Amino acid sequence: MSKQFKGILREHEKELLSAWFEQMMQAYPEESRNYFKRVNSDFTNPVGANLYNSLKELLQTLISDAPDADIVNENVHMILRIKAVQEVLPSQAVSFVLAFKQIVEDVCGKALESAGVATKDWLDFYSDIDTVALYAFDSYSESRELIYKMRLDQIRQTNDILVRADLIDKALDMQDFMQCSSSLDADSTAACPSSGCASCASQCQVNIEKGV
């Protein structure tokens, strides 16, 4: 990609950042969107501030003549960790990366056209953004898996506490629990826990008998 292409993007850095952040905010309800836009304080608005600062650093390295892969990965990972906690769809989580293509066209298209930027520069730029999007998808998947494991650990710890307190008679069979969870996720209208796995059903009965 030519230095001319990147130079024009740097001339429009503020407009690119503003448009990119605005596009990211469109994924949130209006009330949350208005709050997250107040990015001046990491303390009162950590989500908005982290999203904005990470996006700013990501933009700065993407439009530099020599993008730093570590900086790209670090800031993409920060953004995707936040989105993973918010439990948005993977396509929604990574869409902000691909949206940058259109933002560049909207903000810098005329300037790039007037400068006679070669088609190859555009194709190289699109390829770079696609690479970032692929990494973003991997990062989101890893973050969701980590959250999933943390929740399972919490379930195990809670179960151990209940066993020690004699509120339930046996430890949770995690294999049965996972099968039961999958079954209930597939049919959210299930009326009774006893229709799930044997482990859940037996513990449910024990809890009823103990008045829990």
Side-chain angles (χ1 to χ4, degrees):
M1 192 184 308
S2 68
K3 291 186 177 181
Q4 180 188 33
F5 187 97
K6 291 294 187 70
I8 292 174
L9 265 57
R10 286 194 293 272
E11 291 174 3
H12 295 80
E13 180 179 339
K14 289 184 179 180
E15 299 108 297
L16 288 171
L17 177 59
S18 177
W20 203 5
F21 186 63
E22 178 65 31
Q23 188 279 333
M24 179 183 284
M25 290 295 99
Q26 294 304 312
Y28 298 95
E30 184 176 357
E31 183 177 349
S32 299
R33 186 161 64 240
N34 292 335
Y35 176 74
F36 289 156
K37 286 182 180 179
R38 303 169 188 169
V39 297
N40 295 326
S41 174
D42 293 347
F43 181 75
T44 59
N45 181 19
V47 172
N50 279 316
L51 287 174
Y52 182 83
N53 291 331
S54 294
L55 200 67
K56 181 179 180 179
E57 291 186 18
L58 177 60
L59 172 63
Q60 288 174 341
T61 193
L62 286 177
I63 65 178
S64 67
D65 290 332
D68 188 317
D70 289 336
I71 294 177
V72 170
N73 294 344
E74 177 184 347
N75 288 286
V76 168
H77 190 56
M78 170 62 77
I79 294 171
L80 271 298
R81 278 191 297 177
I82 294 173
K83 289 182 175 290
V85 173
Q86 297 168 335
E87 298 187 354
V88 299
L89 294 172
S91 58
Q92 295 174 322
V94 304
S95 62
F96 78 95
V97 178
L98 297 174
F100 188 56
K101 295 180 183 181
Q102 187 62 51
I103 289 170
V104 168
E105 291 185 19
D106 292 342
V107 174
C108 306
K110 291 183 179 179
L112 290 167
E113 183 179 357
S114 298
V117 170
T119 301
K120 184 181 182 302
D121 287 336
W122 278 106
L123 294 177
D124 288 344
F125 166 69
Y126 288 153
S127 178
D128 289 346
I129 298 304
D130 289 341
T131 300
V132 175
L134 291 174
Y135 174 76
F137 185 84
D138 288 342
S139 180
Y140 182 78
S141 298
E142 291 171 3
S143 297
R144 290 296 302 150
E145 183 178 357
L146 177 60
I147 292 172
Y148 187 64
K149 289 180 178 178
M150 291 172 62
R151 288 176 176 173
L152 286 180
D153 288 341
Q154 185 178 28
I155 290 171
R156 290 191 187 98
Q157 292 171 6
T158 301
N159 181 257
D160 290 343
I161 293 172
L162 293 175
V163 170
R164 289 195 297 270
D166 196 30
L167 295 176
I168 57 177
D169 290 343
K170 63 178 181 178
L172 184 66
D173 186 323
M174 292 307 297
Q175 184 174 359
D176 278 353
F177 173 78
M178 292 301 297
Q179 293 174 350
C180 179
S181 297
S182 298
S183 174
L184 291 177
D185 286 342
D187 182 8
S188 60
T189 61
C192 177
S194 61
S195 62
C197 64
S199 176
C200 290
S202 61
Q203 291 193 41
C204 180
Q205 182 62 33
V206 170
N207 291 343
I208 292 173
E209 292 173 355
K210 291 179 177 291
V212 178

